[in-house]
Amino acid sequence: QQGNFPVPAGGRYSEESIQLWACRPHDKAMSIAPLCGEPNSSLDPRLPFDGVNYEASYGPIYYGLAAAGSSILSNFGLSDLTGARLASVFLYALGAALLLLVAQRMAFSSLAAGGVILAASSTGLALSLGATVTPDSMAFLVTAAVIAAALLSRSWRSAVLATTLVGVVAGLTKPNFILIAVIGSMLLLLRWISLERPTLSWRTARRFLT
């Protein structure tokens, strides 16, 4: 909304970007804390990758959601970075909650389903991704969506259409999310087998999945 865009791949980080990176204590793996408050930090030889952004460009879906959340939160005096990070936290938490609901619909034990989701979402890596401005914060969300689309849709036709839509959205969010579309295809195949062979009950299918 204000004309601020992520640094394009191959572009150099600005002084503002470097100071935001250096002065926040979140990125422990590649900390450049000594550059916090230093003038002309964009020319400092201690910058990783010579100050050039090596990250690949991703689709606009996540960034559009993050920008919308940041725009709303800016009305409460929060910076663009903080607003985008909080938008990531919201997407991460929403995805974990939906994945828990889907797991409860399919699992024999709600307690076991909750334990699996809690274990997956409370690891250090998962929590850091959930608070970082990255499409990875939508991983739980698209995973829950593709499972629900493939197995919880009422009809076979609606399951195929919904799974295809979720797969396209996942691929446009981040290229490696195409693996989620592959999972959706496998679940559709399992559902088709259960339709072709009525003796294969949903209980048997759930056991196969677990």
Side-chain angles (χ1 to χ4, degrees):
Q1 185 182 33
Q2 299 174 5
N4 298 326
F5 295 94
V7 180
R12 296 193 64 83
Y13 290 103
S14 65
E15 288 285 341
E16 180 184 10
S17 299
I18 293 170
Q19 288 304 310
L20 283 172
W21 183 1
C23 298
R24 60 189 179 101
H26 308 295
D27 195 347
K28 300 296 185 183
M30 300 182 63
S31 175
I32 55 172
L35 299 183
C36 182
E38 291 289 328
N40 299 320
S41 56
S42 61
L43 302 177
D44 196 289
R46 290 173 291 180
L47 275 176
F49 313 108
D50 295 324
V52 176
N53 177 29
Y54 73 98
E55 296 284 356
S57 299
Y58 299 125
I61 292 178
Y62 162 77
Y63 291 105
L65 295 173
S70 179
S71 178
I72 293 172
L73 293 173
S74 67
N75 296 321
F76 299 93
L78 298 178
S79 67
D80 291 338
L81 176 62
T82 301
R85 286 170 61 86
L86 289 175
S88 291
V89 171
F90 173 76
L91 292 171
Y92 175 84
L94 178 63
L98 291 179
L99 194 56
L100 174 59
L101 290 176
V102 171
Q104 286 178 331
R105 289 285 301 274
M106 299 179 60
F108 295 109
S109 169
S110 297
L111 182 61
V116 170
I117 302 304
L118 180 62
S121 61
S122 60
T123 61
L125 177 61
L127 289 175
S128 65
L129 292 178
T132 305
V133 183
T134 170
D136 290 323
S137 61
M138 293 183 62
F140 282 161
L141 186 59
V142 291
T143 300
V146 79
I147 295 174
L151 298 183
L152 301 182
S153 299
R154 290 188 175 182
S155 67
W156 167 251
R157 179 177 297 180
S158 63
V160 172
L161 292 176
T163 304
T164 301
L165 177 61
V166 173
V168 170
V169 170
L172 292 176
T173 301
K174 190 177 181 182
N176 61 356
F177 279 6
I178 198 66
L179 294 175
I180 296 174
V182 174
I183 293 174
S185 300
M186 295 174 61
L187 295 176
L188 280 177
L189 177 61
L190 182 61
R191 179 167 180 169
W192 177 78
I193 292 174
S194 70
L195 292 175
E196 290 294 311
R197 300 179 181 179
T199 55
L200 180 62
S201 64
W202 279 110
R203 183 176 294 272
T204 305
R206 289 170 182 166
R207 288 177 180 171
F208 176 80
L209 285 173
T210 56

